Amino acid sequence: ANIISKPFCIDTNSEAIHNYIIGKEAFNDGKQFIIAPRRLGLIKKVTIDRKTKIEFTTNDRIIIEKMKKNGIQFFYQGKEQNITVGFTKKGFDLYKKMFLQKPDPIQPILIDDDKYILEFDCSYFQLQNFLYKFGKEAKVIKPIELANKMKNFYHQAYSNYNK
């Protein structure tokens, strides 16, 4: 597939496994552009398009800096809010041991003997991919739309086992 893209930078993910071009990519027949990562190893051909004018706004630059900080391989929707997650003790211990694609909390909200609540400023996509492996040991508290996405994911998985 041909993709119209204006590169902003080339960077590596935090695990230093892959290199990515971060830039604006066209969708909706070129009528809209989003900030997107593209793994260099998957690019087969490049054609230069000097006609398409694509500019980077201040908000685009903020999103790109978040991507570089949290994981450049993850898409941002641009409307992300901070994410609050509650962990069980087992879930928090698992979180501390993990490395790959792990979002760093911006602050602990509460940590005591049986409650571990952390706040994150990363893409919803990154947090979803990271939390899927926690099962009942972690729960998105807010924003509610992300909590509902996770709930629906687990409900659908549960339903598959009850057919």
Side-chain angles (χ1 to χ4, degrees):
N2 291 333
I3 297 168
I4 297 172
S5 177
K6 179 171 183 174
F8 182 83
C9 64
I10 296 175
D11 208 337
T12 186
N13 63 337
S14 59
E15 295 88 14
I17 298 172
H18 300 288
N19 293 310
Y20 290 82
I21 292 177
I22 303 174
K24 274 192 161 176
E25 288 192 0
F27 71 102
N28 197 9
D29 293 327
K31 296 178 183 133
Q32 294 177 295
F33 290 83
I34 59 168
I35 300 296
R38 182 71 49 188
R39 201 165 92 193
L40 277 176
L42 299 178
I43 297 173
K44 304 224 183 304
K45 180 181 176 185
V46 174
T47 304
I48 296 174
D49 173 2
R50 298 187 195 284
K51 296 175 188 170
T52 306
K53 299 292 181 209
I54 304 170
E55 301 297 325
F56 291 94
T57 66
T58 300
N59 191 53
D60 294 336
R61 293 171 191 275
I62 290 169
I63 290 171
I64 290 168
E65 286 307 311
K66 282 184 178 184
M67 290 172 76
K68 290 167 100 178
K69 177 180 158 268
N70 294 318
I72 62 173
Q73 66 270 39
F74 298 109
F75 282 90
Y76 272 77
Q77 298 172 357
K79 59 184 182 211
E80 279 85 352
Q81 302 169 23
N82 288 353
I83 306 161
T84 305
V85 178
F87 293 91
T88 63
K89 177 166 180 15
K90 183 178 177 182
F92 188 67
D93 289 343
L94 181 62
Y95 171 81
K96 291 188 295 185
K97 292 176 186 174
M98 293 190 147
F99 174 70
L100 287 177
Q101 303 179 347
K102 177 181 179 178
D104 290 324
I106 53 175
Q107 67 180 350
I109 294 175
L110 174 66
I111 296 179
D112 66 21
D113 291 338
D114 61 347
K115 289 185 183 175
Y116 303 86
I117 301 174
L118 303 177
E119 186 174 4
F120 298 91
D121 179 23
C122 62
S123 76
Y124 292 176
F125 185 66
Q126 178 180 6
L127 199 76
Q128 283 174 267
N129 283 326
F130 185 74
L131 287 183
Y132 285 150
K133 54 189 140 288
F134 283 78
K136 66 180 184 175
E137 308 303 334
K139 180 180 178 183
V140 173
I141 299 169
K142 60 182 183 177
I144 195 70
E145 63 269 12
L146 184 58
N148 286 336
K149 269 185 156 180
M150 297 295 290
K151 180 174 132 184
N152 290 337
F153 170 82
Y154 286 118
H155 179 74
Q156 289 171 354
Y158 174 80
S159 295
N160 285 342
Y161 285 97
N162 285 314
K163 289 182 180 181

